Each structure stands twice: as structure tokens, then as C-alpha cells.
Amino acid sequence: MRIVILSGGESAERDVSLASGRSVARALLERGHEVVLVDPAAAEPVLAGPLRPGDAVDAVAVGKEPPSLSDQQRLRERMHAALTGGPVLDLLRDAELVFLALHGGWGEDGHVQALLEMAGVRFTGAGSAVCAAAWHKGRAQAVLGAAGVPVVDRVLWRPGTSAEAVPQDVRRLVEAGPVVAKPVADGSSVSVHRVDSLSQLDQVAAEVRAGGTELLVEPFLPGREFTVGVVGGQALPVIEIELTTPVFDYTAKYQPEAVNEVCPAQIPADFTSRLQHLAVRAHRALGFGDDTYSRADFRNDAAGTPMCLEVNALPGLTATSLLPKAAAGTGWDYPELVQRIVDLAVRS
């Protein structure tokens, strides 16, 4: 099959996506596919290809820091141009399948999916409407709560262009105990902060004002953290994320030995079943079908009740990412996981 892999892109997760794209390319080549690797935000978008079985693809490391806001704007302009005309769009239309190894930004919020849908191009993962629903954490949590998936109370706040008084609902949350403040629409735990005081919250707000970002503020959950992948409607083994930091942030996710990930999680069988059931319920509540995949993140409150933090529409596919680790726990090696994602898209 002729498959074009889209990776890189314009988001804060650009480096993660580039690493995912190369990992996916190696797996697809091993499975006998013809591959073209494309970064639509690069000055020269076609990174490699057409590649055929036996060709080598170099790995790429994930950087310690995501791209700056100014870099993201430059990349976004290139990406828009590449996906709306010219040789990249022709390449996508000629492909039998587009494998989306994009994470964050336009690659995960539904923008790219909508463009591909309008062009009549078949692609992996969920469609534009589902991606948009999952990407905005505030709206997604409202949907999940209505579907019976436990979520924490939360407040959305968009800090103004200059210092301003903290709204009373946000103030009450902070004064009641530690909170987590994070962008309402972002991935890889970029800019996630534990906040213990109003002065700390002011510092976080100052960081996000330049980008006009809306913050989601919610109580800090002190319990254990878990993640559950869902592929084709099947819940994968539960992974426990043993943290050495207060929150599972970008650095902890992608730098070796920054966190311990236990798969399968060492928890009672009934609790495993509960988490897997909730992950599938969250998957379906947001509109993911049995021809797609996702990954749901949970953290326990003080009473040990798992709360769903978010559902990822295009979870990382690097060598150290959580979904491949969970797949290995169910007996699938990396190429088999990638092939299953391809098969789901082809059958849809």
C-alpha cells in the first residue's frame, strides 16, 4: 500500500511528532508498504520517499523544550500553504492512505482532518469533529461527566492582556488547596503547572497571556496516575505512571528515566477492569468509533476514585510512548500496532 505519513507540524509537540513519524515509517516498511515521510511545516516538506521495504529510516530524538510561540507561528504558515495546494496536496491525494503521526495543534484539533476530509483523502485516526471534541479539555470533560465518566470540578479562565484580578471561582479553588493549571487545548502536558498559591497562579497567567491561551484550573489530585489505550474498541493493559515530579509534564514524558511507567499496572483485577471500562466509555462518549484509537488518562483523588483528565485523539507513537508500551503488554509488537491502526482506517 502507498502510505504518506504526516509528522512534525506546527504544534508544541513538533519534535514528538517527528520521532513518531520515523518510528511509524520503519514499522510500515517492515510490513511491506511503500512510504513517503512528509513534514508539512518544513521548508522542504518531503523528508524521505518514496521508501520501499528494506530502506533505512534514521531515528530522531525528542528535544527537551517544545518550539517557541514565534517558531510555531512560522511553522503554521508553512503548514497551511503545504496542505491547501501544491505538490504536498497532490501527494496526499495520490496516496492510498495518509497515516497521521501529528500530535497537538492542527494535527490533533481537527484542522488537518477537516482538510483531508474535504479533499476526499482517507486517513488514520478519528475524524475532524471527534478530534475537535476531545482537544478542548473543558468541553471534553463536560461530555465525559454527562456520560458517567468521573471528572473533577474545573474552571476555565482566559487571563487578559495585562495583569488582572483572579476571578472568584478560580480564587476559591486555589484557596481550597493545590490546583493544576494547564492550557485548555494542548498536548504532551506542555505548560502544565501545580499551583499552591495565588502568587504562583499569577506567574502561570503571565506565561500564557502572550499566546491568548485559555487556562483550565482544577483541583490537584494526590493519588496514583494511570493511562489506558483503546484500539478498535479494545482496551489495552493499564499503565501506571510513577512520578518523580508533581505532574506528568513534557520533560517527564519524553526524557529517559524521568518517570517510571509500569505495564501492566500492579493493581487489583477489579480496579484494572474499572479503568478499562471507563476508558472505553470515554472513547465512545466523545464519538470515537471502533475504527479509531485513543488513550485516556486518569488520576486518583484522595479517596482512590479515578478521575479522567483527558482523552488523546492521536497519542504519541515514539519508541518510548505509552500506547506502544500498552500494546506490547497485550502481545503486539510495534509494527503490529501500526498495522492494526492502518487496518482500522482501511476498513472504515
Side-chain angles (χ1 to χ4, degrees), residues 187-264:
S188 278
S189 301
V190 175
S191 301
V192 175
H193 301 272
R194 171 175 163 154
V195 174
D196 294 285
S197 66
L198 290 170
S199 61
Q200 279 185 282
L201 185 63
D202 285 339
Q203 294 173 4
V204 173
E207 289 182 20
V208 303
R209 281 191 183 102
T213 302
E214 189 176 21
L215 284 176
L216 185 147
V217 183
E218 61 190 12
F220 173 78
L221 300 174
R224 299 164 73 178
E225 188 155 338
F226 305 95
T227 191
V228 185
V230 177
V231 178
Q234 174 184 346
L236 302 186
V238 177
I239 296 177
E240 179 168 9
I241 301 162
E242 295 181 341
L243 299 172
T244 59
T245 56
V247 293
F248 193 32
D249 59 11
Y250 181 93
T251 300
K253 279 189 176 182
Y254 296 111
Q255 301 310 314
E257 301 180 0
V259 67
N260 188 32
E261 297 162 352
V262 181
C263 182

Side-chain angles (χ1 to χ4, degrees), residues 145-162:
V149 178
V151 294
V152 295
D153 293 333
R154 65 222 167 262
V155 176
L156 301 183
W157 174 39
R158 188 184 299 277
T161 56
S162 60

Side-chain angles (χ1 to χ4, degrees), residues 231-300:
V231 178
Q234 174 184 346
L236 302 186
V238 177
I239 296 177
E240 179 168 9
I241 301 162
E242 295 181 341
L243 299 172
T244 59
T245 56
V247 293
F248 193 32
D249 59 11
Y250 181 93
T251 300
K253 279 189 176 182
Y254 296 111
Q255 301 310 314
E257 301 180 0
V259 67
N260 188 32
E261 297 162 352
V262 181
C263 182
Q266 302 303 298
I267 52 177
D270 59 344
F271 192 60
T272 293
S273 296
R274 182 180 182 187
L275 287 170
Q276 290 175 320
H277 171 76
L278 290 173
V280 173
R281 176 178 287 188
H283 178 91
R284 291 180 174 151
L286 289 169
F288 291 90
D290 288 346
D291 57 348
T292 60
Y293 65 106
S294 69
R295 199 196 73 229
D297 299 335
F298 299 89
R299 189 158 179 161
N300 287 359

Side-chain angles (χ1 to χ4, degrees), residues 63-81:
K64 293 185 178 180
E65 297 291 336
S68 67
L69 289 176
S70 60
D71 285 342
Q72 288 178 51
Q73 180 58 40
R74 173 178 51 82
L75 294 165
R76 188 171 294 121
E77 292 168 359
R78 289 179 181 169
M79 188 170 179
H80 180 267

Side-chain angles (χ1 to χ4, degrees), residues 39-50:
D39 174 7
E44 298 293 335
V46 179
L47 300 178

Side-chain angles (χ1 to χ4, degrees), residues 23-66:
S23 296
V24 169
R26 289 194 296 274
L28 291 175
L29 290 170
E30 183 176 321
R31 286 280 171 156
H33 299 285
E34 179 183 305
V35 172
V36 179
L37 189 58
V38 173
D39 174 7
E44 298 293 335
V46 179
L47 300 178
L51 301 168
R52 293 177 173 81
D55 290 344
V57 179
D58 294 334
V60 63
V62 176
K64 293 185 178 180
E65 297 291 336

